Amino acid sequence: MKLGLQLGYWGAQPPSGVAELVAAAEAEGFDALFTAEAWGSDAFTPLAWWGRETSRLRLGTSIVQMSGRSPASIAMHALTLDHLTGGRVVLGMGVSGPQVVEGWYGQPFEKPLARTREVVDIIRQVLAREAPVTNDGPHHPLPYAGPGSVGLGKPLKSIVHPLRPDIPIWLGAEGPKNVAQTAEIADGWIPIFYTPQSAGMYQPWLDEGFAREGARRSRDDFEIAATCHLQVTEDDGPAKQAVLEALKPSVALYMGGMGAKEANFHKRVFERMGHGDITDRVQELFLAGKRGEATALIPDDLVDDMHIVGSPDAVRERVAQWEETGVSTLLLSCRTADEVRQVAEVLG
């Protein structure tokens, strides 16, 4: 199993110490560097900026929000960066949610699966550069001939010849239909709350996608890149517990405060994972501004399942459990270069 450094997206200000983090990941044998975006910093710019000092790490996005750019624009970003990095780009994408898509990007959210399929197809056409790019689908028609069109659009091929005509595309997916489609049309999957205990839930969904006619991959060559926080502690008692407590506010945020009350896809994942007894109450408290009370409801076993925290021996055992479930890459949210070096030492 490979290790990736997950830089995520920025908070109120750009993070500090990232250059040292990236240098440590490159030196210690990590396989990849990933960036993300929400509704502030974008994913491509930090990846290019900090990735420029690397020569070996794969450079990925987890994830680019599809509604933020046209499919052709996403393909241009990936094509350009792939040239600049010597063919090290992994294009991770996802649909985001209705609050962001309609409230931030001003785009309709309906039919996310059909939109995803069109986006992936258009990007692959751009990169293959076999013919001018066209699309007959309703979400991203090319050439565009709808309202406001002047009727002069024509199919085009990229001026630049791609370095690789088939850049890996990984998709963020949470629900059964989305995960199945990801297994069908993508090269990898970026689950947000994949854990050893919940892994069995996803297997039938993945199998459905792999079994579809024309599926690109099988289990043998499909990548699963799961994100977690890995932290080595002095013991598996008080020191570990302190870390688990520090991680609970983030779990409460995703369970109770991400997305609209009626359409919090992350909350649904936690319910599928068997925590439906607390999700409604966590959401109610979080949306009422009672974040401390919401956080207090998050159980230790959920946080422990979502992350890898403990003594060196416990960490090695837990990493093996994640690998046994089919995870090919662990995307780790290390905070310092020393943490990166410690992880590399513990895992050999």
Side-chain angles (χ1 to χ4, degrees):
M1 185 168 60
K2 299 179 286 289
L3 299 180
L5 178 62
Q6 174 62 273
L7 296 181
Y9 52 81
W10 298 359
Q13 299 293 329
S16 60
V18 175
E20 291 78 10
L21 265 178
V22 173
E26 171 104 339
E28 295 297 334
F30 275 49
D31 173 73
L33 169 70
F34 276 76
T35 56
E37 61 187 23
W39 50 94
S41 60
D42 78 284
F44 285 115
T45 307
L47 192 63
W49 181 261
W50 284 308
R52 78 194 190 283
E53 298 297 335
T54 68
S55 61
R56 185 187 51 77
L57 289 170
R58 288 196 291 176
L59 304 176
T61 55
S62 63
I63 56 172
V64 162
Q65 298 171 79
M66 295 181 193
S67 295
R69 307 162 185 83
S70 71
S73 177
I74 296 173
M76 290 166 65
H77 282 292
L79 180 159
T80 304
L81 190 56
D82 204 49
H83 267 292
L84 294 174
T85 61
R88 292 187 283 138
V89 167
V90 176
L91 179 58
M93 302 186 295
V95 297
S96 188
Q99 277 194 328
V100 174
V101 171
E102 297 184 355
W104 184 249
Y105 294 120
Q107 300 295 317
F109 184 75
E110 67 174 356
K111 299 183 178 178
L113 271 75
R115 284 192 294 111
T116 298
R117 190 177 289 272
E118 285 188 28
V119 170
V120 170
D121 180 68
I122 292 169
I123 291 172
R124 290 218 166 100
Q125 287 189 59
V126 172
L127 296 173
R129 204 178 177 274
E130 295 174 346
V133 178
T134 61
N135 182 53
D136 294 330
H139 304 287
H140 299 284
L142 290 174
Y144 178 74
S149 167
V150 298
L152 298 177
K154 62 176 291 187
L156 298 170
K157 285 201 298 185
S158 169
I159 297 171
V160 178
H161 293 232
L163 179 64
R164 293 185 294 168
D166 196 14
I167 290 173
I169 294 177
W170 298 359
L171 296 176
E174 297 182 51
K177 294 180 180 179
N178 205 347
V179 171
Q181 179 173 273
T182 296
E184 175 194 357
I185 69 174
D187 303 295
W189 174 40
I190 309 172
I192 188 169
F193 299 130
Y194 186 100
T195 73
Q197 287 190 26
S198 67
M201 173 179 68
Y202 295 109
Q203 305 314 314
W205 309 348
L206 291 167
D207 287 337
E208 178 186 338
F210 293 136
R212 291 177 182 173
E213 184 178 356
R216 283 176 58 86
R217 301 287 179 181
S218 67
R219 283 192 177 273
D220 293 336
D221 59 359
F222 184 80
E223 297 207 50
I224 298 177
T227 296
C228 74
H229 179 71
L230 190 157
Q231 188 164 340
V232 181
T233 57
E234 294 180 357
D235 57 60
D236 294 316
K240 174 180 177 177
Q241 186 63 38
V243 175
L244 297 182
E245 293 296 331
L247 292 168
K248 288 182 180 181
S250 176
V251 180
L253 167 65
Y254 278 90
M255 184 183 293
M258 279 291 205
K261 182 177 181 180
E262 302 80 8
N264 181 338
F265 302 128
H266 306 317
K267 176 174 175 283
R268 294 176 191 172
V269 174
F270 286 117
E271 290 167 351
R272 294 188 187 103
M273 291 169 67
H275 297 278
D277 58 326
I278 63 169
T279 55
D280 285 342
R281 183 58 176 159
V282 169
Q283 184 182 67
E284 177 185 347
L285 289 169
F286 201 96
L287 296 180
K290 300 177 181 179
R291 299 189 177 191
E293 294 181 46
T295 299
L297 293 178
I298 304 300
D300 292 349
D301 62 342
L302 171 58
V303 185
D304 195 24
D305 188 35
M306 291 175 62
H307 303 288
I308 300 174
V309 180
S311 63
D313 287 342
V315 163
R316 284 188 284 268
E317 180 180 348
R318 290 280 289 148
V319 167
Q321 291 173 359
W322 284 68
E323 185 172 17
E324 288 170 3
T325 68
V327 173
S328 56
T329 299
L330 274 179
L331 300 181
L332 306 179
S333 56
C334 299
R335 296 165 298 185
T336 67
D338 284 341
E339 283 188 7
V340 170
R341 287 187 280 268
Q342 185 181 40
V343 167
E345 180 181 356
V346 168
L347 297 182

